[in-house]
Amino acid sequence: MWEGYLEVARRYPKLSLAQERRMIATAQAGRKTARDELVLRHIGFLMWCLRTKVFRWHLERHGDDLLSAAILTLYQKIRTYDLNYRDRGGVLRPVRFISYVWKRIDGLALDHLKRESRSGVSFDEARHIPSRSNLPVKIRQKTLPARFLCRDGHMARAGGN
């Protein structure tokens, strides 16, 4: 997974804060090449962030979708990054771009996990283990999300099975 992106991450190393800020200013002025290069220089950060936030089995299943969404998020955040950010005292405080996007990337991964859990896909189904198909018809007909059912089809009790 992500083999091509690993090569991109190796080819485009991190920038210093001053270089990063110049590139963001150029990208915000409308230069597409600066915007694209800035995204390429943060691919390694995106992969690291997703690998540390998302379970491996979920990443294997949805990693490409998550990385694509994270790349699109970077493009959006380049436009909204404030080069003139000042603290409460009015002092100019340059912030690294990864510090600016970090929480949004984490939030993106968590939003994706929440959507998956709301879709009724159980942990076992996500790992490609059939679980609901073996349940009695009476239980399968209920509209309970799979996360409330144990492997044997019984309701999960609070604090465990």
Side-chain angles (χ1 to χ4, degrees):
M1 178 176 62
W2 299 343
E3 289 81 17
Y5 290 110
L6 288 171
E7 181 58 34
V8 169
R10 280 187 215 107
R11 200 173 328 147
Y12 290 91
K14 294 179 188 178
L15 297 169
S16 70
L17 179 60
Q19 291 171 322
E20 183 179 82
R21 290 177 62 77
R22 277 194 303 274
M23 192 172 286
I24 289 172
T26 306
Q28 287 179 343
R31 181 168 280 160
K32 185 182 180 309
T33 56
R35 189 179 60 209
D36 292 343
E37 184 177 342
L38 192 60
V39 169
L40 291 172
R41 290 189 181 272
H42 287 87
I43 293 289
F45 166 73
L46 293 178
M47 292 187 304
W48 175 82
C49 202
L50 291 173
R51 278 194 309 257
T52 58
K53 184 56 81 175
V54 180
F55 290 118
R56 192 183 104 252
W57 59 267
H58 191 77
L59 200 57
E60 289 171 358
R61 184 171 182 215
H62 298 285
D64 291 334
D65 294 336
L66 283 168
L67 187 58
S68 296
I71 289 171
L72 291 175
T73 299
L74 278 186
Y75 278 105
Q76 293 168 353
K77 291 298 184 179
I78 289 170
R79 284 190 310 227
T80 59
Y81 179 83
D82 185 6
L83 287 165
N84 297 314
Y85 173 76
R86 297 179 185 279
D87 65 11
R88 292 181 185 175
V91 178
L92 183 64
R93 296 283 184 201
V95 176
R96 290 203 63 99
F97 186 64
I98 61 172
S99 298
Y100 176 68
V101 298
W102 179 296
K103 287 191 180 194
R104 182 59 210 128
I105 301 302
D106 281 355
L108 176 94
L110 292 174
D111 290 345
H112 186 77
L113 292 169
K114 286 177 189 176
R115 268 195 309 276
E116 284 298 307
S117 70
R118 282 189 213 128
S119 71
V121 176
S122 72
F123 178 80
D124 292 336
E125 289 171 330
R127 292 182 53 202
H128 309 291
I129 300 172
S131 61
R132 287 192 80 160
S133 60
N134 298 331
L135 298 178
V137 175
K138 182 178 176 183
I139 294 174
R140 268 186 285 164
Q141 290 174 344
K142 292 183 179 181
T143 57
L144 292 173
R147 66 183 180 274
F148 293 119
L149 300 174
C150 297
R151 264 193 190 180
D152 61 1
H154 294 90
M155 290 292 295
R157 292 185 297 275
N161 290 337

